């Protein structure tokens, strides 16, 4: 694993939801949320081929309670059904 975010990802072989421009804004807001919750080095995601990638640097420990708490709050900004969303599709 190359420092990939360990927020739950779709399993391999599952088609990834296409990320629209509107969705990209939600991901950027979620990244800004992470920065405002004590992770100033949290990177903005990139959007290759209408998917989403977040390369969290190794300097950010994703196993800390603080990170998990911030991720739980910030991933709520991502619409349900998209990668990294904390809400399940209804």
């Amino acid at each position: 694993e190359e420092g990939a975010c360990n927020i739950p990802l779709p399993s391999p072989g599952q088609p990834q939801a296409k990320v629209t421009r509107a969705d990209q804004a939600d991901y950027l807001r979620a990244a800004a949320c992470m920065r405002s919750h004590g992770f100033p080095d949290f990177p903005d995601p990139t959007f290759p081929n209408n998917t989403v990638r977040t390369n969290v640097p190794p300097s950010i420990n994703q196993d800390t309670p603080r990170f998990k708490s911030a991720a739980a709050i910030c991933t709520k900004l991502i619409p349900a059904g998209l990668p990294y969303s904390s809400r399940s599709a209804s």
Side-chain angles (χ1 to χ4, degrees):
E1 249 184 83
E2 33 179 273
C5 213
N6 66 5
I7 296 170
L9 288 173
S11 36
Q14 194 178 15
Q16 283 239 355
K18 290 283 184 206
V19 177
T20 66
R21 284 218 179 279
D23 298 333
Q24 290 180 17
D26 293 324
Y27 282 102
L28 293 169
R29 272 199 296 280
C33 174
M34 290 298 291
R35 290 191 288 273
S36 74
H37 279 83
F39 296 92
D41 298 334
F42 196 87
D44 277 337
T46 57
F47 304 101
N49 302 318
N50 297 320
T51 62
V52 62
R53 262 188 91 85
T54 304
N55 291 312
V56 179
S59 60
I60 296 176
N61 182 347
Q62 298 177 52
D63 290 323
T64 64
R66 195 170 122 220
F67 183 91
K68 290 177 179 174
S69 170
I73 293 164
C74 298
T75 55
K76 289 187 172 88
L77 297 170
I78 300 167
L82 289 173
Y84 302 115
S85 175
S86 65
R87 296 178 286 171
S88 57
S90 45

